[in-house]
Amino acid sequence: MWIYEKKLQYPVKIKNPDPKMAQIIASQLGGPDGELGASLRYISQRYSMPTDEIKGLLTDIGTEELSHIEMISAILYQLTRNLSEADIKKSGFDKYFVDHTTAIYPASASGVPFTAAYFQSKGDAFADLSEDMAAEQKARATYDNILRLADDPDVIDPIRYLREREVVHFQRFGEAMRTPLNTKRIEIIAIFLWKYLFCFRAK
Amino acid sequence: MWIYEKKLQYPVKIKNPDPKMAQIIASQLGGPDGELGASLRYISQRYSMPTDEIKGLLTDIGTEELSHIEMISAILYQLTRNLSEADIKKSGFDKYFVDHTTAIYPASASGVPFTAAYFQSKGDAFADLSEDMAAEQKARATYDNILRLADDPDVIDPIRYLREREVVHFQRFGEAMRTPLNTKRIEIIAIFLWKYLFCFRAK
Amino acid sequence: MWIYEKKLQYPVKIKNPDPKMAQIIASQLGGPDGELGASLRYISQRYSMPTDEIKGLLTDIGTEELSHIEMISAILYQLTRNLSEADIKKSGFDKYFVDHTTAIYPASASGVPFTAAYFQSKGDAFADLSEDMAAEQKARATYDNILRLADDPDVIDPIRYLREREVVHFQRFGEAMRTPLNTKRIEIIAIFLWKYLFCFRAK
Amino acid sequence: MWIYEKKLQYPVKIKNPDPKMAQIIASQLGGPDGELGASLRYISQRYSMPTDEIKGLLTDIGTEELSHIEMISAILYQLTRNLSEADIKKSGFDKYFVDHTTAIYPASASGVPFTAAYFQSKGDAFADLSEDMAAEQKARATYDNILRLADDPDVIDPIRYLREREVVHFQRFGEAMRTPLNTKRIEIIAIFLWKYLFCFRAK
Amino acid sequence: MWIYEKKLQYPVKIKNPDPKMAQIIASQLGGPDGELGASLRYISQRYSMPTDEIKGLLTDIGTEELSHIEMISAILYQLTRNLSEADIKKSGFDKYFVDHTTAIYPASASGVPFTAAYFQSKGDAFADLSEDMAAEQKARATYDNILRLADDPDVIDPIRYLREREVVHFQRFGEAMRTPLNTKRIEIIAIFLWKYLFCFRAK
Amino acid sequence: MWIYEKKLQYPVKIKNPDPKMAQIIASQLGGPDGELGASLRYISQRYSMPTDEIKGLLTDIGTEELSHIEMISAILYQLTRNLSEADIKKSGFDKYFVDHTTAIYPASASGVPFTAAYFQSKGDAFADLSEDMAAEQKARATYDNILRLADDPDVIDPIRYLREREVVHFQRFGEAMRTPLNTKRIEIIAIFLWKYLFCFRAK
C-alpha cells in the first residue's frame, strides 16, 4: 500500500502562467511516454517478475513515477493559473479549457485521453525489462524535446530533474537485465530449459 | 509524494486458481468503473478544488484507491497462478494469456485497455464531486455483480471489504458536497456571483 | 420510435462565421460531456430501470437531448459557412477541415472521435441516476466554459438556453433519485433485501 | 427535433432468454456496422448535402435508424431477462454483466465501446453517399451473419425485418447518387468546375 | 511477400519546410481516410474474396497504397526538416514534436493515433467492394481539401498524382463490382441461393 | 516502393480448421505486439534515423514484417475455412464472425481493433532502437505463448519460423545500437554535444 506525504519529490515554483507550454508538458502526464504510463507499467509488471530484487526495483521506480505524476501535475497547474480569457483563446488552450477548465486531466499534448495501449506488461522478464529500458529512453527524449521548447528557468529546473531521473532508471533497469544473466545464471537456465521443454516438446 | 509500505491494505489469500473469475474481477482493475480510474480521477481533480478540506479528501481517497489497485492486482495474480494449458484454454483465459501471459495489465473484462475516457476532471467543484459520488455508486454496483458470480470465500472476503470502502467514500463525497453548501455558504455565493458576472455579463 | 418534426427545439440564427468558436462548441456534440453522450446514456439506461416513471423520464430527456444534438449541429454548421481558405488556416480549423470539410462529425474539441467510454449504463438504478446527475453538472460546466469564451450574442443565446435545460434535467434526475427513497420505500427495501440475499447468502 | 412515440417500429416479442445470442446481436447496436453508427452517420452528414431532397432522405433514414437502435435494444433486453447466475457464467455473458449487469450499452460483440471512428461525415456528397451505400451493405451482411447463427423464430423475425430495411435504404441511397447525375446535371457540373478552379487554379 | 525497391512511386522533392501543411497532410498517412487504412483494408480483404481476379486486384491496389504511405511519409519528412524552435512553436507543430520530434508516426491531423476502426473487412464481396469504392471517394475528397489549402507547387504536384490514383482505383473497384454481376451471374445466383437457403431456411 | 511477389516467405499449409486457435493467433496480426505494429514501427521510424545503415536495416526488417503479416493472415484464413455454424458458436468465434464473417481483420485476440498507440516513433535513434529491441522481445514472448497453446504441427511449424525471425531481428537491432557507440563515436558525441548545447544552454 501507499502512504501520502504532503510534499513534492522536487520543488515546483512557477511564477508566470504559460498555457502554450502547459499543453506541451501535458504529454508527460498522459501522453504516450508520460509518467502515468511509466508508473502503471512498473506497478503492473512486478507481480510476474522472477526475483524479489526485480520486484522491489519495479515497486521503487513505479512509486517514484507516481510522485513524478504529481510533479508534472503541479507544473501544469501552476502554468495555467490566473489566465485571462484572451490568454486562453490566443494560446490554443481553449480546446482543453472547454472540457476541463484548468483542472488536471491525463491526456496527450494533442488532447487524446491516456490509454493503457501505450505500455505492455508481458509476463516475461526479458521482454518486460527491455520494454522498461525503452520506456525510459522515450521519456528522456520527450524531456529533451520539452527542454528545446522551454524558456522559463522555473520550468526548466524541475524538467531537468525529471529527465535525470529517467536516465538513472534506465541504468537501473539495465543492471537488472544483466544481473540475472550473471549471478542468477542457473535459475535463468532452468527457466529457459523449462520454457524450451514446455513450448517445443514433441508435439 | 507517495511512500510504499510493503503490505496490502487488507489481506488477500487465495488458494485455488480460477482464471474465469480473474477475467471478471479484472474489470475492477482496468475497466470502466475500476480502481485505476477511481484513483486517477481523485488524484487529478484535487488541484482545482476550492478548499483545502476537499483537496485533502481527494488526496486521501485517491491514495487509498492506489492501494486498492494493488489488492485487485494481488487477487488477479493469485487466481491465475499455476494454471495448466488445459485450464487456460477451457476458461477462455487464452485471449488474455497470449498477450500478457499471467502478468497484471489494466484492461476491462472484455480485454479493452484502460482509457482515461472513463473519467472526467472538470475543474468545477460541483461537477467533480457529483462525478465522484456517481463513480463510487458504479464501483459498488460492479462489486455487487462480482459477488453474484463469486463462489470462493477467499475471493468474496476481500471483494466485500472493497465494496464497503466504496460505500464509505460515497458518503464522504456526499458530506463534502453538502459542506460547502452549508458552512461555506458565503464563499460559494461569491463563486457563483463571480461566475454569473463572468459568464453572463452584458455581451 | 421517433418521429422527426422539421424545426429546432430553440432557434439558432448565427450571421457571422467563427471557425475558432466552432471548434470549442464541437465538444458539446462529440466531446466527453456532450449532447450525444447524454442522449445515448439516457436512451440506453431506461430499459433496466425499476419503475415506469423513471423509464419515462429517461425517454423524455434522452429524446430532448437528441434535439440538442441537432441544435449544436446547427450552431456548428452556421459558424463554419462561407469560410475562405485564409479563415480556415488562420483559425486552426484546417485540422478538422482536411478530414470533414465543413460537415458535422461528432468529435471532441481536440478532434478525438466520440466514444461510448464517456458514459456508463450500469443496470443499477442508484448508480445510473447518480451518473445522470453528474453528467448534467458536467454538461452545465462545459456550457459555462463556452459562455466564458463566446462573444457573439447569436451564439450566446442558444448556448444559454441549452445550459438552462441541463439545470432542469439535473433537478428532475434528483427528484427521481429521491422519489424511490420516499414513496417507494417498500419496493426499494425489497430490492435491497433481494440483493443482500442474492449476493451475500451463505457461500 | 424528434418526438417520441411509445411503440416499436416493428414488434419484438422474445420469450426465451439467450445471453449468447444477445452478445452477437449487440454488434448491431454498438459494433462497427451497427444501427447507432448508421443513425449518427446520416444525421451528421445531412447538413452539408447540396440539395434538400438528399438532406430530407438522410433525415428520414437517420430517424428510422434511431428506431432501429430501439428495436435492437429491445431484443437485447428481452434476451437477457431472468438469467440465473449459471446462465450468465456458462454463456460468457459474465464479461458484459460485470460492467453493465443486464443494462443496454452500445459496444461491439467483443465488448469494445462504440466509437465514431466507425463512420465518416466528409462534407462531399459523392463520398458521403458512397459511404452510406457501403454502410447499408455492411449492415446487411451483419444481419446475414446473425441469421446464420440464430435459431429462435422470435429473434429471426425482427432481424429479417431490419435486414430488409437495410436493402431498401441501400436502394434509396443509390437513387440519390444517380439523381444528381441525371436531373441536376448542371448544378453538379457547376460544383465540379468550381472545385476544379478552386483546387487546381494556377498556384 | 513484398520486395522493397529503393525509389518512390512518384518523385517528392520539397525545398521549403512547412510544418503547418505537414500537420494537415499527416491525415493522409494515419487519418480516417489515409493511405495506411487503405492499404490495410485491401490487403486484409483479399483473402475472403470469391474470385482470383478480385483477389489480385486487391493485392495490386493494396501494394500500391503501401507505396503511397511511403510517398506521404517522404512529404511529411521533407516538410519538417531544418525547423527552428520558433517555427515549431509558431506553427502549432509543438504538440506533435514533443512526442515524435520530427519522426514519421501514423496519426490524424488532430493527433489521434491510427486505429483499424476506420476500415472494415467484412467477408462479403459486395459489402467489401462497396466499402472500397467509398474509401477511394473519401481519400479523393481529402486530397481535394489538401489542394485547397496548399500553396507550394512542390507539394501540390505529388498530391495531385496521389489524388488521380484514387480516382483510378475507384473505377477499378467499380468494374470489379460490375463484373461479377454480369459475367459471373450464375456463380452469384448460386451464392445468393445458398445464402438464402442457409439463412432463411425453415427455422 | 514495394513490389508484390506471389508467394509466402515461408509456407503455410494447415489442413484442419481450428477457430479457437485462430482467435489466439489473431493477436500476432493486430494485437499489441503483432506483426502489423512491428512493420509500421520500422517503416515509420527509418526517416529520422542518423545513418543510412540503420535506415536500410529498418527498411529491410519492416519489409520482412509486411510478409509476416501475410503469413499470419494465411494462417488465420486456413484455420477458419469450412466452419460449420456449430463450430462457430462452440468456439466463441461467433463474436468475430458477426462483424467480419471469416475475413481477415487486424484486431487483438480480445477483438480490439489495431491502434498505432501500441508503438512509438520518437525521432531519437537511441529511444527508437531500444523500442525496437523491446518490440522483438515482446513478439517473441507472444509466439512462446502461442506455442504453449498450439497442438497442430501444421500451425507450430510456421509459428516457430516466425519466432526465430524475431530473435534474429532482436540481434540485428542490438548490433545497430552498439555500432554507433563504437565505430561512429565521433558523430554521436557531436550529436550529444549539440543536444546539450541546444537543450541546456544558458536560459
Side-chain angles (χ1 to χ4, degrees):
Chain A
M1 62 182 290
W2 284 271
I3 292 154
Y4 185 72
E5 196 180 320
K6 200 178 168 176
K7 67 166 192 178
L8 290 179
Q9 193 188 352
Y10 185 90
V12 174
K13 281 179 190 153
I14 298 172
K15 289 177 286 292
N16 302 313
D18 184 347
K20 215 164 152 49
M21 204 63 220
Q23 292 171 76
I24 303 312
I25 294 173
S27 216
Q28 273 309 90
L29 177 59
D33 306 308
E35 300 289 357
L36 173 53
S39 181
L40 295 178
R41 179 185 283 114
Y42 307 141
I43 286 174
S44 300
Q45 286 176 353
R46 62 194 169 130
Y47 294 89
S48 51
M49 282 293 170
T51 70
D52 283 347
E53 284 81 0
I54 300 181
K55 285 185 197 211
L57 177 66
L58 285 165
T59 304
D60 281 0
I61 301 185
T63 300
E64 184 179 344
E65 305 286 24
L66 280 180
S67 301
H68 294 179
I69 292 172
E70 198 183 25
M71 280 181 65
I72 294 285
S73 298
I75 292 172
L76 297 177
Y77 180 62
Q78 295 181 16
L79 282 173
T80 55
R81 279 183 303 195
N82 305 322
L83 296 177
S84 71
E85 291 156 56
D87 292 338
I88 291 168
K89 289 176 99 163
K90 207 181 56 191
S91 63
F93 187 62
D94 46 358
K95 291 185 183 179
Y96 182 94
F97 179 82
V98 69
D99 284 332
H100 310 295
T101 320
T102 58
I104 302 303
Y105 177 79
S108 74
S110 300
V112 179
F114 174 78
T115 163
Y118 291 142
F119 69 90
Q120 182 54 298
S121 177
K122 198 76 199 181
D124 176 289
F126 294 94
D128 280 346
L129 287 170
S130 299
E131 153 116 349
D132 299 345
M133 291 176 73
E136 297 293 344
Q137 283 294 326
K138 291 185 284 179
R140 188 264 311 149
T142 309
Y143 284 124
D144 282 348
N145 289 342
I146 291 171
L147 288 167
R148 287 177 203 176
L149 299 172
D151 288 315
D152 181 347
D154 292 352
V155 171
I156 290 170
D157 183 53
I159 294 292
R160 266 194 209 169
Y161 172 82
L162 289 166
R163 182 191 180 282
E164 275 165 39
R165 296 305 302 158
E166 309 295 15
V167 175
V168 170
H169 297 166
F170 174 76
Q171 289 163 343
R172 293 192 67 192
F173 286 126
E175 286 158 19
M177 183 79 117
R178 285 186 297 275
T179 303
L181 289 167
N182 296 326
T183 68
K184 302 225 167 198
R185 196 180 296 270
I186 293 159
E187 181 188 357
I188 297 301
I189 287 168
I191 288 170
F192 264 108
L193 276 175
W194 172 79
K195 270 195 192 167
Y196 186 88
L197 293 170
F198 190 49
C199 304
F200 301 108
R201 68 183 181 280
K203 283 184 175 174
Chain B
M1 64 181 290
W2 284 271
I3 292 154
Y4 185 73
E5 196 181 320
K6 201 178 168 175
K7 66 168 191 177
L8 290 180
Q9 192 189 349
Y10 185 92
V12 174
K13 279 179 190 155
I14 298 171
K15 290 177 284 294
N16 302 314
D18 184 347
K20 214 163 153 49
M21 203 63 220
Q23 293 172 75
I24 302 312
I25 294 173
S27 217
Q28 273 307 90
L29 177 59
D33 306 308
E35 300 288 358
L36 174 53
S39 181
L40 295 178
R41 179 185 284 114
Y42 307 141
I43 287 173
S44 299
Q45 286 176 354
R46 62 195 168 130
Y47 294 89
S48 50
M49 282 294 170
T51 69
D52 282 349
E53 284 81 359
I54 301 180
K55 286 185 195 208
L57 176 68
L58 286 164
T59 304
D60 281 0
I61 301 184
T63 300
E64 184 179 342
E65 306 287 24
L66 279 179
S67 301
H68 294 179
I69 292 173
E70 199 182 26
M71 280 181 65
I72 294 284
S73 299
I75 292 172
L76 298 177
Y77 181 61
Q78 295 181 16
L79 283 172
T80 56
R81 277 182 304 194
N82 306 320
L83 297 175
S84 71
E85 291 157 58
D87 292 337
I88 291 168
K89 290 176 98 162
K90 206 181 55 191
S91 63
F93 187 63
D94 47 357
K95 292 186 183 178
Y96 183 94
F97 179 83
V98 69
D99 284 331
H100 309 295
T101 320
T102 58
I104 303 302
Y105 177 79
S108 73
S110 300
V112 179
F114 174 79
T115 163
Y118 292 142
F119 70 90
Q120 181 53 298
S121 178
K122 198 76 199 181
D124 175 291
F126 294 94
D128 280 346
L129 287 171
S130 300
E131 153 114 352
D132 300 344
M133 291 175 72
E136 296 293 343
Q137 283 293 328
K138 291 186 284 180
R140 188 264 312 149
T142 309
Y143 284 123
D144 282 347
N145 290 341
I146 291 171
L147 288 168
R148 288 176 202 177
L149 300 171
D151 289 315
D152 182 347
D154 292 352
V155 171
I156 289 170
D157 182 53
I159 294 291
R160 267 193 208 170
Y161 172 82
L162 289 166
R163 182 190 180 282
E164 276 165 39
R165 296 305 301 158
E166 308 296 14
V167 175
V168 170
H169 296 167
F170 174 75
Q171 289 164 341
R172 292 193 67 192
F173 285 127
E175 287 158 20
M177 184 78 115
R178 283 186 297 276
T179 303
L181 289 168
N182 296 326
T183 67
K184 302 224 169 199
R185 196 180 295 271
I186 293 159
E187 183 189 356
I188 296 303
I189 288 169
I191 288 170
F192 264 107
L193 276 176
W194 172 79
K195 268 194 189 166
Y196 187 87
L197 294 171
F198 189 50
C199 303
F200 300 109
R201 70 183 180 281
K203 281 184 175 174
Chain C
M1 63 181 291
W2 284 270
I3 292 154
Y4 185 72
E5 195 180 321
K6 201 177 168 176
K7 66 168 192 176
L8 290 179
Q9 192 189 349
Y10 185 90
V12 174
K13 279 177 191 156
I14 298 171
K15 289 178 285 293
N16 303 313
D18 185 346
K20 215 164 153 50
M21 204 63 220
Q23 292 171 74
I24 302 313
I25 294 173
S27 217
Q28 272 309 90
L29 178 59
D33 306 309
E35 300 288 358
L36 174 53
S39 180
L40 295 178
R41 180 186 282 113
Y42 307 141
I43 286 174
S44 300
Q45 286 176 353
R46 61 194 170 131
Y47 293 90
S48 51
M49 281 293 168
T51 70
D52 283 348
E53 284 81 358
I54 301 181
K55 285 186 196 208
L57 177 67
L58 285 164
T59 304
D60 281 0
I61 301 184
T63 300
E64 184 179 343
E65 306 287 25
L66 280 179
S67 301
H68 294 179
I69 292 172
E70 199 183 26
M71 280 181 65
I72 294 284
S73 298
I75 292 172
L76 298 177
Y77 181 60
Q78 294 181 16
L79 283 172
T80 56
R81 277 182 304 195
N82 305 321
L83 297 176
S84 72
E85 291 156 58
D87 291 339
I88 291 167
K89 290 176 99 162
K90 207 181 55 190
S91 63
F93 187 63
D94 47 358
K95 291 186 183 177
Y96 182 94
F97 179 83
V98 68
D99 284 332
H100 309 295
T101 320
T102 58
I104 302 304
Y105 177 79
S108 73
S110 300
V112 179
F114 174 79
T115 162
Y118 292 141
F119 70 91
Q120 181 54 297
S121 177
K122 198 77 200 179
D124 175 291
F126 294 93
D128 280 346
L129 287 170
S130 300
E131 153 115 351
D132 301 344
M133 291 176 73
E136 296 292 343
Q137 284 294 327
K138 291 186 283 179
R140 187 265 311 150
T142 309
Y143 284 124
D144 282 348
N145 289 342
I146 291 171
L147 287 168
R148 287 176 202 177
L149 299 172
D151 288 316
D152 183 347
D154 292 351
V155 170
I156 290 171
D157 183 52
I159 294 292
R160 266 193 209 171
Y161 171 82
L162 290 165
R163 182 190 180 282
E164 276 164 40
R165 296 306 302 160
E166 309 296 13
V167 175
V168 170
H169 297 167
F170 174 75
Q171 289 163 342
R172 292 192 67 192
F173 286 127
E175 287 158 20
M177 184 78 117
R178 284 186 297 275
T179 303
L181 289 167
N182 296 325
T183 68
K184 304 223 166 198
R185 198 179 295 270
I186 294 160
E187 183 188 356
I188 296 303
I189 289 168
I191 288 170
F192 264 108
L193 276 175
W194 172 80
K195 269 194 189 167
Y196 185 87
L197 294 170
F198 190 50
C199 304
F200 300 109
R201 69 183 180 282
K203 282 184 175 176
Chain D
M1 62 181 292
W2 283 270
I3 293 154
Y4 185 72
E5 196 181 320
K6 201 176 167 178
K7 67 167 192 178
L8 290 180
Q9 193 189 349
Y10 185 91
V12 174
K13 281 178 189 153
I14 299 172
K15 289 178 286 292
N16 302 313
D18 184 345
K20 215 164 153 48
M21 203 62 219
Q23 292 172 76
I24 302 312
I25 294 173
S27 217
Q28 272 309 88
L29 177 59
D33 307 308
E35 301 288 358
L36 174 53
S39 181
L40 295 178
R41 180 185 284 113
Y42 307 142
I43 286 173
S44 300
Q45 285 177 353
R46 61 194 169 130
Y47 294 89
S48 51
M49 281 294 170
T51 70
D52 283 348
E53 284 81 359
I54 300 181
K55 285 185 196 208
L57 177 67
L58 285 165
T59 305
D60 282 0
I61 301 184
T63 300
E64 185 179 343
E65 306 287 23
L66 280 179
S67 301
H68 294 179
I69 292 172
E70 199 183 26
M71 281 181 63
I72 295 285
S73 298
I75 292 172
L76 297 177
Y77 181 61
Q78 295 180 15
L79 283 172
T80 55
R81 277 182 305 194
N82 305 321
L83 296 175
S84 71
E85 291 157 59
D87 292 338
I88 291 167
K89 289 176 100 162
K90 206 181 56 190
S91 62
F93 187 63
D94 47 356
K95 291 186 182 178
Y96 182 94
F97 179 82
V98 68
D99 284 332
H100 309 294
T101 321
T102 57
I104 303 303
Y105 177 79
S108 74
S110 300
V112 179
F114 175 78
T115 163
Y118 291 142
F119 70 90
Q120 181 53 297
S121 178
K122 198 75 199 181
D124 176 291
F126 293 94
D128 280 347
L129 287 170
S130 300
E131 154 114 351
D132 300 344
M133 291 176 72
E136 296 292 344
Q137 283 294 327
K138 291 185 284 179
R140 188 264 313 150
T142 310
Y143 284 123
D144 282 347
N145 289 342
I146 291 172
L147 288 167
R148 288 177 204 177
L149 299 172
D151 289 316
D152 183 347
D154 292 352
V155 170
I156 290 170
D157 183 53
I159 294 291
R160 267 194 208 170
Y161 172 81
L162 288 166
R163 182 191 179 281
E164 275 164 40
R165 296 306 301 158
E166 309 295 14
V167 175
V168 170
H169 296 167
F170 174 75
Q171 288 163 343
R172 293 192 66 192
F173 286 126
E175 286 158 21
M177 184 79 117
R178 284 187 296 276
T179 303
L181 288 168
N182 295 326
T183 66
K184 302 223 170 199
R185 197 180 296 268
I186 293 161
E187 183 188 356
I188 296 302
I189 289 168
I191 289 170
F192 264 108
L193 276 176
W194 172 80
K195 268 193 190 167
Y196 186 87
L197 293 170
F198 190 51
C199 303
F200 300 109
R201 70 182 181 280
K203 283 185 175 173
Chain E
M1 63 181 291
W2 283 270
I3 292 153
Y4 185 72
E5 196 180 321
K6 200 178 168 176
K7 66 166 192 178
L8 290 179
Q9 193 189 348
Y10 185 90
V12 174
K13 279 178 190 152
I14 298 171
K15 289 177 286 292
N16 302 312
D18 184 346
K20 215 162 152 51
M21 203 64 221
Q23 292 172 75
I24 302 312
I25 295 173
S27 216
Q28 273 308 88
L29 178 58
D33 306 308
E35 301 288 357
L36 174 52
S39 181
L40 295 178
R41 178 185 285 113
Y42 307 141
I43 287 174
S44 299
Q45 285 177 354
R46 61 194 169 131
Y47 293 89
S48 51
M49 281 293 168
T51 71
D52 282 348
E53 284 82 358
I54 300 180
K55 285 184 196 210
L57 177 66
L58 285 164
T59 305
D60 281 0
I61 300 184
T63 300
E64 185 179 342
E65 305 287 25
L66 280 179
S67 301
H68 293 179
I69 292 172
E70 200 183 25
M71 281 181 64
I72 294 284
S73 299
I75 292 172
L76 297 177
Y77 180 61
Q78 294 180 17
L79 282 172
T80 56
R81 277 182 305 195
N82 305 321
L83 296 176
S84 71
E85 292 156 57
D87 291 338
I88 291 168
K89 290 175 98 163
K90 207 181 55 191
S91 63
F93 186 63
D94 46 357
K95 291 185 182 178
Y96 182 94
F97 179 83
V98 68
D99 284 331
H100 310 294
T101 320
T102 58
I104 302 303
Y105 177 79
S108 73
S110 300
V112 179
F114 174 79
T115 162
Y118 292 142
F119 69 91
Q120 182 53 297
S121 178
K122 197 78 199 179
D124 175 290
F126 294 94
D128 280 346
L129 287 171
S130 300
E131 153 115 350
D132 300 345
M133 291 176 72
E136 296 292 343
Q137 283 294 327
K138 290 184 284 179
R140 188 264 311 149
T142 310
Y143 284 124
D144 282 348
N145 289 342
I146 291 171
L147 288 167
R148 288 177 203 177
L149 299 173
D151 288 315
D152 182 346
D154 292 353
V155 170
I156 289 170
D157 183 52
I159 294 292
R160 266 193 209 170
Y161 172 82
L162 289 165
R163 183 191 179 281
E164 275 164 39
R165 297 305 302 158
E166 309 297 14
V167 175
V168 170
H169 297 166
F170 174 75
Q171 289 163 343
R172 293 192 66 191
F173 286 126
E175 287 158 20
M177 184 78 116
R178 284 186 298 275
T179 303
L181 288 167
N182 295 325
T183 67
K184 301 225 168 197
R185 198 179 295 270
I186 293 159
E187 182 188 355
I188 296 302
I189 289 167
I191 289 170
F192 265 107
L193 276 175
W194 172 80
K195 268 193 191 168
Y196 186 88
L197 294 170
F198 190 50
C199 304
F200 301 108
R201 69 181 180 280
K203 283 185 174 174
Chain F
M1 63 181 290
W2 284 270
I3 292 154
Y4 186 73
E5 197 180 319
K6 200 177 168 177
K7 66 167 192 178
L8 290 179
Q9 193 189 351
Y10 185 91
V12 174
K13 280 178 189 153
I14 299 171
K15 289 177 286 292
N16 301 313
D18 184 347
K20 215 164 153 48
M21 204 63 220
Q23 293 172 75
I24 303 312
I25 295 173
S27 216
Q28 273 308 89
L29 178 58
D33 306 308
E35 300 288 358
L36 174 52
S39 181
L40 295 178
R41 179 185 283 114
Y42 308 142
I43 287 174
S44 300
Q45 285 177 353
R46 61 194 171 130
Y47 293 88
S48 50
M49 282 292 170
T51 71
D52 283 346
E53 285 80 0
I54 300 181
K55 286 185 196 209
L57 176 67
L58 285 165
T59 304
D60 281 1
I61 301 184
T63 300
E64 185 178 343
E65 306 287 24
L66 280 179
S67 302
H68 294 178
I69 291 172
E70 199 183 26
M71 281 181 65
I72 295 285
S73 298
I75 292 172
L76 298 177
Y77 181 62
Q78 295 180 17
L79 282 172
T80 55
R81 277 183 303 195
N82 305 322
L83 297 176
S84 71
E85 292 157 57
D87 292 337
I88 290 168
K89 289 175 100 163
K90 207 181 54 191
S91 62
F93 186 62
D94 47 357
K95 291 186 182 178
Y96 182 94
F97 179 82
V98 68
D99 284 332
H100 309 294
T101 320
T102 58
I104 303 303
Y105 177 79
S108 73
S110 300
V112 179
F114 174 79
T115 162
Y118 292 142
F119 70 90
Q120 182 54 298
S121 178
K122 199 76 199 180
D124 175 291
F126 293 93
D128 280 345
L129 287 170
S130 300
E131 153 114 351
D132 300 344
M133 291 176 72
E136 296 292 344
Q137 283 294 326
K138 291 184 284 178
R140 188 264 311 148
T142 309
Y143 284 123
D144 282 347
N145 289 342
I146 291 171
L147 288 167
R148 288 177 202 176
L149 299 172
D151 289 316
D152 182 348
D154 292 352
V155 171
I156 290 170
D157 183 53
I159 294 292
R160 266 193 207 170
Y161 172 81
L162 289 165
R163 182 191 180 282
E164 276 164 39
R165 296 305 302 159
E166 309 296 13
V167 175
V168 171
H169 296 167
F170 174 74
Q171 290 163 342
R172 293 192 66 192
F173 286 126
E175 287 158 19
M177 184 79 117
R178 284 186 297 276
T179 304
L181 288 167
N182 296 326
T183 67
K184 303 228 168 196
R185 197 179 296 268
I186 293 159
E187 183 189 357
I188 297 303
I189 289 168
I191 288 170
F192 265 108
L193 274 175
W194 171 80
K195 267 192 192 170
Y196 186 88
L197 293 170
F198 190 50
C199 304
F200 301 109
R201 70 185 180 280
K203 283 184 173 174

